[in-house]
Amino acid sequence: PYSATNPFRCSYGKWYAVVMAVTPSSGGSSTNGRLEMFINGVKVSSHNVKTQDSSTPYVNRFEHSGTIAQPAYDALAHVRKFDNFIFADNLADIQNAGLMSDPEAGAPNPPTNLRVQ
């Protein structure tokens, strides 16, 4: 139900489970990749776009940044905190581990069987 004109609005002082799912594009200039975002297990964004080409599946750099209060840019000064970042090769691993559940609703502890490489 969310879009650029109806964005998901987070409440200050609350933790959220935010999952970004990236499906690689096939072919150098193809836009058949997919970018999806879930907040507490609810899909809030889904776009067919050019992403990293599937022929080069390596991540050389990960940088997290961004602006606040998009698209209105009307937020008061605040602090954003991140518990951790996890990379997985399929969304089912994240779902099965309970990592898409609302962390303030008594979600299970993070699993110990996810590999960090």
Side-chain angles (χ1 to χ4, degrees), residues 53-111:
D53 192 311
S54 60
S55 64
T56 57
Y58 301 102
V59 175
N60 296 332
R61 175 178 154 176
F62 172 74
E63 181 177 333
H64 185 272
S65 62
T67 57
I68 59 173
Q70 284 187 330
Y73 296 105
D74 61 355
L76 301 172
H78 66 281
V79 176
R80 288 180 272 169
K81 297 181 180 178
F82 302 92
D83 189 27
N84 66 49
F85 293 95
I86 298 172
F87 287 85
D89 60 1
N90 65 70
L91 189 59
D93 285 346
I94 301 298
Q95 292 168 324
N96 293 339
L99 297 174
M100 292 180 75
S101 301
D102 182 348
E104 294 195 355
N109 291 328

Side-chain angles (χ1 to χ4, degrees), residues 15-64:
W15 285 95
Y16 293 90
V18 179
V19 174
M20 301 235 3
V22 178
T23 303
S25 300
S26 59
S29 62
S30 177
T31 58
N32 64 355
R34 189 157 201 67
L35 178 62
E36 298 174 298
M37 184 167 66
F38 301 82
I39 299 179
N40 292 345
V42 176
K43 188 185 294 186
V44 298
S45 181
S46 180
H47 303 280
N48 289 327
V49 294
K50 180 179 179 181
T51 62
Q52 181 173 348
D53 192 311
S54 60
S55 64
T56 57
Y58 301 102
V59 175
N60 296 332
R61 175 178 154 176
F62 172 74
E63 181 177 333
H64 185 272

Side-chain angles (χ1 to χ4, degrees), residues 31 92 112-113:
T31 58
T112 58
N113 62 343

